[in-house]
Amino acid sequence: MESHGSITLKLFLGFLFLSLNVHTSVSRFVVEKNSLMVTSPEKIKGSHDSAIGNFGIPQYGGSMAGAVTYPKDNRKGCREFGDFGISFKAKPGALPNFVLVDRGDCFFALKVWNAQKAGASAVLVADDIEEALITMDTPEEDISSAKYIENITIPSALIDKSFGETLKKALSGGEMVNVNLDWREAVPHPDDRVEYELWTNSNDECGVKCDMLMAFVKEFRGPAQILEKGGYTQFTPHYITWYCPMTFTLSRQCKSQCINHGRYCAPDPEQDFSSGYEGKDVVLENLRQLCVFKVANESKKPWVWWDYVTDFQIRCPMKDKKYNKECADAVIKSLDVCTGLDAKKIEKCMGDPNADADNPVLKEEQDAQVGKGSRGDVTILPTLVVNNRQYRGKLEKGAVLKAICSGFEETTEPAVCLSGDVETNECLDNNGGCWQDKTANVTACKDTFRGRVCECPLVDGVQFKGDGYSHCEVSGPGKCKINNGGCWHESKDGHTYSACLDSENGKCQCPPGFKGDGVKSCVDIDECKERKACQCSECSCKNTWGSYECTCSGDLLYIRDHDTCISKTATEVRSAWAAVWIILIGLAMAGGGAYLVYKYRLRSYMDSEIRAIMAQYMPLDSQSEVPNHVNDERA
């Protein structure tokens, strides 16, 4: 017989669950889907929806082709296929096998695990009733299932009953059924920044899922901080809380699990009201972690949240009885030294947990739990949301990084998304089928997370133009720096000539002294033989590569611009007379200048002498009148 305390606990937890459903009754749960395309046989060819399983590793941003197989025995996949002598390992050169199993009798994850052990590359689960697609999730708090769930690495999807029957019928008729699972559009990819959020929990004693969540946060901390510091992503953490029904607000259970008079609650970590930590301890730490992010974000260092959460997990676990404010303050203090995390601002952000009023931070979190736009309600914990789409699959560094990388607009992915651990560089195989200039080591193939694009490149500030597949050519200023602009060039006898014209629309054109197409060849013009230069009667012509030499007989001098010979003596005489005239003109200019200076100084001297003489006999305008004392005496 169950104890009174156990019954009360279950009743209270039931009301907590009910409160969540009432809170979100106007919203909806969105099943995340991927595309399943049947490529053969012809009569059933077409595209169908399938629901992504919330375990294993979906190939976000990519696709998989395979052949569907429906086992003769163990069709629900609840037992190991090896017990029936069945193997799904593909033969060399053959398409990988996608195993079709029926729903029922055991967990979805167990069906996929058994198929994976038998060599399957993917699993399709056919529904057994006609209904809308649902999300295949992992079983809650099942110790035995935890052993294999974390080792599932293949993708899986649920298909509706009618489509499953169609596939079975084709297979029973001896048809080869080939399908393509496509996750390339599972996550929107509108621009060069990905926005993602993690719905998490600070409780580290909630079983298998909490263990997986804690491990993920520690493992993903590095990539997350690289993406955030580089401005490639915008991350936001979230925490789920519930409210206590009015009926239980004054109860001991509600007071131990909630803060702010029943407004924000979390289940008891140990599900035992009589001992250990209480739900309100979890709510308070969730609130503290939200405020750590808020304060760090205000200081332009949002990535500090990953440092705090990771350190808190390591230093303040429940099992060591350190899950408390004192340990949290110690973590914040240690981070304050290197990151400037302000403890006073965090305390202010948290507010008063005993106040009979809303907490702005937690109220915002409860509102955010309700789905908006294309994102459904958050009902599975933990939940990762990438570009407003809920991630489905194993919460593991590589898998999550793939999902985030698939959210970038093609060609804008950061380097971390193009590493060998995340994607395959398709440009390494036959240059991706794109244009390539092996001589200049230039290619139009650009590796992307989803595959590759053929796009004429920009090299050292010089733009190539063309279709990127069969043709690219340099264009604009500076083009001659890249493989000589694709034009002819040759060096000989210490001289180098090029047919490249470094202009916007300049085409290859042989330089003066050469003729040809300018691209493949330019041939020296024999100016002497073709009588294009050095044709005066006194001239003697000798052809050179790219030019010519012309000499004159006797003491004559060849003038190239006029293609004529003139006397060196006449030239020297003319040069001498020119020098004489220059000297004479210079002397004349100097004499004229000296004469002008002399006249100016002489005139200035004469003016001053005349003014001095006149000042002795009559007053000038600049002098005051002299007093007449004689007239004064006579008066």
Side-chain angles (χ1 to χ4, degrees), residues 203-224:
N203 180 3
D204 60 9
E205 288 293 327
C206 60
V208 177
K209 285 196 173 183
C210 280
D211 294 340
M212 292 175 64
L213 174 60
M214 301 299 117
F216 167 73
V217 170
K218 293 175 184 176
E219 188 181 31
F220 198 68
R221 171 186 175 182

Side-chain angles (χ1 to χ4, degrees), residues 305-323:
W305 178 88
W306 294 91
D307 293 324
Y308 173 79
V309 173
T310 303
D311 287 359
F312 184 82
Q313 289 175 10
I314 296 170
R315 297 170 60 179
C316 312
M318 287 183 175
K319 64 181 180 179
D320 293 342
K321 307 302 180 184
K322 294 181 179 179
Y323 185 92

Side-chain angles (χ1 to χ4, degrees), residues 83-373:
D83 295 344
F84 300 87
I86 298 174
S87 173
F88 302 119
K89 291 182 180 179
K91 296 179 180 179
L95 284 173
N97 286 314
F98 292 176
V99 178
L100 176 64
V101 296
D102 296 323
R103 180 181 179 181
D105 293 354
C106 61
F107 295 131
F108 290 119
L110 181 59
K111 299 174 186 288
V112 177
W113 172 240
N114 287 334
Q116 176 179 304
K117 287 195 295 181
S121 297
V123 174
L124 304 178
V125 179
D127 206 342
D128 56 354
I129 57 174
E130 290 292 351
E131 62 176 349
L133 291 173
I134 64 170
T135 295
M136 300 187 296
D137 198 11
T138 54
E140 292 286 345
E141 302 301 327
D142 185 78
I143 304 299
S144 61
S145 64
K147 297 177 181 178
Y148 61 78
I149 289 174
E150 64 181 15
N151 293 317
I152 296 176
T153 58
I154 64 173
S156 60
L158 180 73
I159 60 176
D160 60 46
K161 182 179 179 181
S162 59
F163 179 47
E165 294 299 329
T166 300
L167 294 178
K168 294 173 190 176
K169 184 178 179 180
L171 290 167
S172 64
E175 299 275 11
M176 178 180 287
V177 179
N178 293 337
V179 300
N180 190 56
L181 287 171
D182 194 339
W183 296 269
R184 285 176 292 184
E185 300 303 321
V187 175
H189 43 96
D191 51 39
D192 60 356
R193 190 182 76 168
V194 170
E195 298 174 5
Y196 73 106
E197 52 194 60
L198 176 65
W199 287 84
T200 181
N201 193 355
S202 63
N203 180 3
D204 60 9
E205 288 293 327
C206 60
V208 177
K209 285 196 173 183
C210 280
D211 294 340
M212 292 175 64
L213 174 60
M214 301 299 117
F216 167 73
V217 170
K218 293 175 184 176
E219 188 181 31
F220 198 68
R221 171 186 175 182
Q225 291 185 327
I226 290 172
L227 290 169
E228 199 75 11
K229 290 178 181 179
Y232 300 113
T233 59
Q234 179 179 308
F235 168 73
T236 307
H238 288 291
Y239 295 79
I240 291 180
T241 60
W242 297 268
Y243 64 84
C244 184
M246 290 295 295
T247 309
F248 288 86
T249 301
L250 299 177
S251 67
R252 183 174 65 88
Q253 290 84 359
C254 187
K255 289 180 179 180
S256 66
Q257 311 309 310
C258 309
I259 65 173
N260 293 94
H261 288 246
R263 287 176 173 83
Y264 314 105
C265 312
D268 189 285
E270 298 92 358
Q271 295 188 15
D272 183 357
F273 291 135
S274 62
S275 64
Y277 288 100
E278 299 175 326
K280 67 180 180 181
D281 297 321
V282 176
V283 178
L284 284 171
E285 180 54 34
N286 288 349
L287 176 58
R288 183 177 290 106
Q289 294 186 7
L290 282 168
C291 287
V292 165
F293 176 77
K294 183 178 176 66
V295 171
N297 196 39
E298 288 172 352
S299 64
K300 309 298 182 185
K301 296 179 180 179
W303 52 84
V304 174
W305 178 88
W306 294 91
D307 293 324
Y308 173 79
V309 173
T310 303
D311 287 359
F312 184 82
Q313 289 175 10
I314 296 170
R315 297 170 60 179
C316 312
M318 287 183 175
K319 64 181 180 179
D320 293 342
K321 307 302 180 184
K322 294 181 179 179
Y323 185 92
N324 52 45
K325 182 181 185 302
E326 290 72 22
C327 188
D329 288 344
V331 174
I332 293 172
K333 184 177 180 180
S334 64
L335 290 175
D336 183 21
V337 176
C338 53
T339 64
L341 194 59
D342 194 325
K344 291 183 179 179
K345 287 185 177 180
I346 294 171
E347 285 295 321
K348 184 179 179 181
C349 168
M350 291 181 67
D352 182 5
N354 297 315
D356 187 6
D358 284 336
N359 181 294
V361 177
L362 292 177
K363 181 67 169 63
E364 186 177 341
E365 289 299 292
Q366 284 188 344
D367 292 341
Q369 288 172 214
V370 181
K372 294 179 178 65

